[in-house]
Structure formats: C-alpha cells, structure tokens
Amino acid sequence: MSELFDAIDALVASRSPLPAPAERKRLRQAHGLTLEEVAATLEVRRATVGAWESGKTEPRPPQREPYAHLLKQLARLYPSPTTTEGGTPAIPTATAPAVPSAPAEAEPSAPAATVAAVVPAPAAPAPAVPQPSPTAAPRPARGSRRPGAPRAAAANSPAAAGSGACGHGPLLVLDADDEQQVTGYGTGGLLLDVPSKSLPALVEWALSEARVGAQKLHASGKDADPLLVLTAAACERYGLPAALSDAERSAGRLPEGHKAIKLLERAGWKLTRRGLGPWARIYRPVTGGRRQCVQLCIPSWNALDDRSWGHAAKLEPAELARVLGVYAHRVMTPVGSSAVSGLELMTALNPPTRASEPDQDGKRHSEHRPGSLGTQGLDPAPCEAVDGHPVLAHLPRFHIRGPEERLFEEAYDWARDLTDAECMQPHLVGIDVNLAFGAAANGAVVGLDAPPEHVTGPVFDPAVPGSWLVDLSHVDLSRVKVAKQWRDLEGGLLPSPFTPTGERPEGPAWYATPTVAYAVELGYDVTPVEAWVRPRSGRFLDGWYKRLRDAYVTTMADLKVAEKLPPGEFLRAMDGYKGRDPELGIVVDAVKMSVKGGIGKLQEKARGGGWVPGQAWPALARPTWRPDIRAAVISRARINMHRKMIALAAATGRYPVAVLSDCAVYTADGPSPLDVLPYDQDGKTVPGSFRLGVSPGMVKHEGTQDVLWGVGVLEQLGAEGKVANLARYIKTGEVTARDTGE
C-alpha cells in the first residue's frame, strides 16, 4: 500500500505548479543566483535552466518538484510587483527587468548608495521590429542619462540583504552630469548613485559596497573582478583626461607621474604592467586569501576599438551597459580587447590549479589541475618559434627560414584566373564559414603542460599532436579519396591544402598533425623525416568553443536567426539581421572577434621599440603562449575548408575561384548561395560540403558581384603586378586605394 501512496505523491509532484517563465528568471536574479548555481543544485545543464526560464521547455520529474520548491521560497522573499493585495497575480502589461537592490551599508563619509529602476513608459502599441527573446537583456530607454526614477528597494529590505556579493551584475557604466553627480548604469536597467569623490574612493566602493562582479566560470577558477566603464564625463569627474594626447595614445597609458596615479599609490593601490591605459587593472596584493582588484574600461581612450565593438563607444551609458552586460553574461566580463578576453576565457574555463585533498592537518594546497596548460610558459620547438624567439638566438642575423625550418600554418589567401566557362556565368557568389576557427578548435587534440619531444624517423600517428617534417609534394589533387572513394577532379582548379597560398609544396616542410593526417585521408602515404611531438595531450579548447558557440548562437537567435532553419528561410532571416537590434549586433561581432583574436593571441609577438631579437618578451611567460596550439587550430580550419570544397567539386563540378581564410567565391548562374549549393526538396545537400545555417562550421552569404566586375578587378590589379583575391572584395565590391596603391 505504501508503494501506491508513493506513486500518488510522485504523480502530484510531476504537476507541481510553476510561475510563468519570466517570473522564474526574475526570482532567480532577485536572489543573485546564476544559471550555473541553479543547474548544479538540480543536477541539470545550464542550458536546461535557461530553457525553463525562456519558456522553451518545462521541467520534468524528478527536477520539477525541487525547482518548484526553490521558486516558492524565493517568491516569499521577493513578492512580484504585479501581485495584488489579495495575493492574486495581476495581469501584466509588460515584463520589466528585475532590478537588484542597493547595498545594505554605505561609506560613512558619503550618502547611502541608491538603486533606481527605469520607470516603464505608458503602454504603447507594440513595435514592428522583432523583439529579443527573454534571454536577451532588455533594451534601455534611449537618451536617458540620469532619469529621476524611484528607488527599487530600501537599503535594509530583504531583497537588498539577499542579493549577494555580485547582486548588481558584472559591470557598471559610470557617467557624470553637469552637477558632477555620478550614476552607475548596470545590466537589466539597474541604476546606482555613486557616492565616491575620488578615483581611490571609487575603487574602494566598487569592492566594498557596489556588489559588482561575476562568479567564476569553473569551480577551480576565480570570480571576475568588478568592471567599471568610465564615460568621458566620468573621467573628468575623477581627474582623468577625457581623451589621451598623441604621446599618451602612442604609449598606450598615462605617464607614471600623473596625478591620478599618485593618488592611487598613496592609497596603497597598484597598477599592472600596462599601467593606467584604456584597460587598467587596479589591485592590492592578496591578503588573507581575499583578492582586491578592479578593472577599468575607458571607451574615450579607444578601449572599445571599432573593429571588434563597432559603434559601442558612441552609445549612451545605459545602452553601453546592455551591450557589455550581454557579452559579460554570455562570454565573460571583458578584461581587455576582444582578443585578450578570448584568450583569458581559455584560462577561466580551464584553470591551471585546483585545491588538493586535505593533508594530515586538514589543510588544502594548490596543485596542478590535469587537463590544463599548467602555470609556466613552455619553450616551443624550434620550428614552431616565431622569428626572434630566444630558442632561435643561435641563427645568423637576418637569416630567413624556409618551409624546411619553419612551421607555417596560416589561413588561406589563394586565387586563380577564371576559366572560359566561368567567364560565361553572370555572378560571383561568396560564402563565409561561421566561426571557422571556433569550429576548428572544437575537438582539437593539443599538447598540454609538457615540452615537446624530438623524434627522428617517426611513424606518423594522427592521434599525437605535434609538428612533422614531411614531403607532401607527391599528393595529386586530380586523383584523391572523397568519402573513402577515389575520385578524379580538376586538380588545377583547387588550392593545395598544404600551403596558405594554395601552391603545391616543392619538398619537405613542417606541418601540424591535422595537415599530415589530411594527406593520409586523401589516400596518400606519408614518411616523416623528424618530428616534435607532445604525448601529453587533451582537448583543451572544447569548453572554450562551447562557451563562445552558445554565446554566438543565442545572440543570433535573439536577432531572429535561429538554428535549423531551412536554407531559404535562413537566407531571409540573415537579410538585415543586425538592424533588428544594433546593440546585439555589436555583441555578435565581439563574440566573433573573441574567437579569432583569442586564437591569434596564442602566438603574440614582441611589441615595443626596446625589444631586441633573441630576447624574451613578456608574453612568453604565459602558459597560453602556445604557437603549436594556434597552428593546430588554423590547420584544422584550412583543412575543413578544403574538405568541403573537394566534396562540392566531386558532386557538382563546381570549383572555387578565390579563397580568403573562411570565405570562398564561386561563379554561378544566379546571385544566391542556393545557386552554388545544391539542395533537394527535403533540404538536404552534398554530404561533407558547405551547408547554409547559423551554427559554427556552416556558411552564410558573404556577398554577390557580377562576373564582369570580377574580371575588371583581376585586370586592374594584375596590370599593377598584384594578385587579386576576389574574396577580399566580394562583400562590398569596393577595391580601396590601399589595394591599388594609389
């Protein structure tokens, strides 16, 4: 009989009542809980909790009852503002963002910090522009620099007490008005009155009262430092110039004797090696296990360069807080350029150390964490080192290393003349691979925390990452294996997969493991002469790829470009997608640049006029200075591109006329990618070839131009002795004066 009652209890629990999806998210945020915390407690994935809050899915047993219990407890602490006196939820007219509350205490010498919510305007007709999904941050009111909104909660309210150390989000954008009053604009429409009167006091306030920051991305990592973004007006309020002088811009920082730096030093604060520049880290040494560090970002000093962040530096404070906040929640709190943030994300997701098991005294110690890159920089193999590296100090000055001395794995820059048949087709169509380097990083097996081992006369093993000296000049692209079947192709119309220029190699050269493995895949034997291999290996970049992939796909979904759309619908959705929400369009570009820049930073070269070839530069001390990992990822990206081109050529007889990194150009009878890529009525295309879609590794439309335009560009640049890569100009059709040398 007891089993029957248990079954009845389980049946009731399977229908535990839940609030609306938007209310679930509000309750979680009101208590300062992250998706990761809720997911870990309920033993589900982060994406699962996100789907519950967006209404895409509903919880099922056994998680439904404890999730309902959690929300019930939170609802007691944070009653919904739309609940009537009788406790019945009122009919909502709009979903307002949850606003965390103010700190419980304020500086004794200053007024208590106040928190205000942006008051929603009276109900208006719904806009015609598609709105972001519930997972996207709400768009703030434009042009509001310091709205006179009411307080969201008293300083001693339950909401304020329970919002947590990071209850106000990862960052604040600080702006000053004409009366020199400073307002902090946070995520979700949050407003904070900032009481600090000086830069040192501002740093103290950010750490002690602002409740700004983000929780660590890995259990063995560390929490993100508070990020304060200073507008030009806020810079002047705190004794900083609104813009850097030419000399300061060239140096990338303020001079050491600047008044603001002296104030920080007198207050016991320190600056990192990069000083007080566009991105500055202000800290005190760790005491008692407590980290004290604040990050500054100054857009008017070109912290947000337009190559990665578009027009973000020109946004109003509330809009800028939204852009940076979405990036911070989906990727990480920015700590520098998009490239620097992309690199730092690798360590944040895969930290080098962890806490050991308790010793005999019950104390834990820091120990190496398996699967990471360790805590020390490693010397590369000589063939992997960039020119000027200390391991090459023995070479004569001005020595130029050839392919037999240097690993040269770079992205494609290849083009050819059009055939007569291609000249008869009217259009040139460019297709571009989404997050090509991110897709290549997924599943890449790379060396971890041990130096490379030199081997003479090795037997090639595709499972071992490393660099191999081998002759691949015998690989003939006119006769290759495609899907394990021998096929005859027009080899002269395809780029070589073994060189960035697409030219056929002429003899032995150094290649990363994926490149040599591809020669074997094409059906040819390989006999390496020597190798530098890394037996201690792993898929270090998998978590990094997944984080960036999710950020990209989620933001594109907010822009109404969803995954798994049919080809035609996808192309229509991509048409003008950034115009639906230009601020989220900035986030998309920043995510893409974080992928590309993060991979590039793995081989950061020496900078500064004082460096001498043969001397070490600061980047070499990083565990993430790993040119071999960069080479492996770029090799995989180039091979992935070639594999798709061969599959398309074998099935359709279409060959690219130009390839630039992740963009390929084809001639076609029509202007659409659908005129290049064959799709049947069921939406299926050539297996192993290009597929239209938003997911990383799939392709989108890059641009279309007339064949006559392409012939003109080839003739124009060819007459000047330059190689014209049509993939470089296919998007806009413009050939700049820089390209023509005028």
Side-chain angles (χ1 to χ4, degrees), residues 367-444:
E367 66 178 13
H368 170 68
R369 197 180 143 270
S372 72
L373 298 184
T375 58
Q376 302 294 325
L378 298 176
D379 280 341
C383 62
E384 298 164 350
V386 297
D387 291 337
H389 193 282
V391 302
L392 303 176
H394 63 283
L395 294 178
R397 192 177 182 186
F398 304 122
H399 175 74
I400 299 177
R401 295 183 295 159
E404 71 283 356
E405 295 180 274
R406 176 188 175 191
L407 177 69
F408 194 63
E409 294 283 9
E410 299 293 342
Y412 267 130
D413 188 350
W414 168 86
R416 62 172 175 83
D417 291 330
L418 277 64
T419 65
D420 292 342
E422 289 169 339
C423 288
M424 298 302 293
Q425 294 184 291
H427 299 287
L428 289 164
V429 180
I431 53 177
D432 181 77
V433 180
N434 302 316
L435 256 59
F437 293 122
N442 186 35

Side-chain angles (χ1 to χ4, degrees), residues 588-679:
V588 168
D589 289 340
V591 171
K592 292 193 291 187
M593 292 301 292
S594 297
V595 173
K596 185 177 294 186
I599 296 299
K601 276 283 185 181
L602 291 168
Q603 185 180 277
E604 183 177 356
K605 297 181 180 179
R607 294 182 294 176
W611 175 74
V612 177
Q615 291 183 349
W617 57 95
L620 299 186
R622 292 195 321 247
T624 49
W625 195 86
R626 292 294 297 272
D628 59 296
I629 296 180
R630 174 186 179 273
V633 172
I634 294 178
S635 167
R636 283 171 59 93
R638 195 180 66 247
I639 295 308
N640 287 346
M641 195 80 172
H642 196 271
R643 186 181 290 114
K644 296 176 189 296
M645 291 188 293
I646 275 194
L648 183 62
T652 68
R654 293 186 181 275
Y655 294 85
V657 300
V659 184
L660 182 66
S661 187
D662 47 11
C663 175
V665 176
Y666 286 84
T667 59
D669 292 325
S672 169
L674 293 175
D675 297 305
V676 175
L677 309 179
Y679 277 87

Side-chain angles (χ1 to χ4, degrees), residues 453-477:
E453 300 176 5
H454 186 251
V455 184
T456 303
V459 175
F460 177 68
D461 185 348
V464 177
S467 301
W468 310 77
L469 181 62
V470 58
D471 188 352
L472 300 180
S473 61
H474 62 290
V475 178
D476 183 5
L477 294 182

Side-chain angles (χ1 to χ4, degrees), residues 481-485 487 518 521 640-652 676-680 683-692 697:
K481 279 188 176 180
V482 181
K484 299 183 179 180
Q485 294 183 352
R487 300 294 297 269
Y518 187 57
E521 179 184 327
N640 287 346
M641 195 80 172
H642 196 271
R643 186 181 290 114
K644 296 176 189 296
M645 291 188 293
I646 275 194
L648 183 62
T652 68
V676 175
L677 309 179
Y679 277 87
D680 60 22
K684 296 182 179 180
T685 186
V686 177
S689 183
F690 300 105
R691 293 173 55 207
L692 290 166

Side-chain angles (χ1 to χ4, degrees), residues 335-352:
V335 293
S337 66
S338 58
V340 170
S341 298
L343 185 72
E344 289 293 321
L345 181 64
M346 297 180 191
T347 303
L349 293 170
N350 208 330

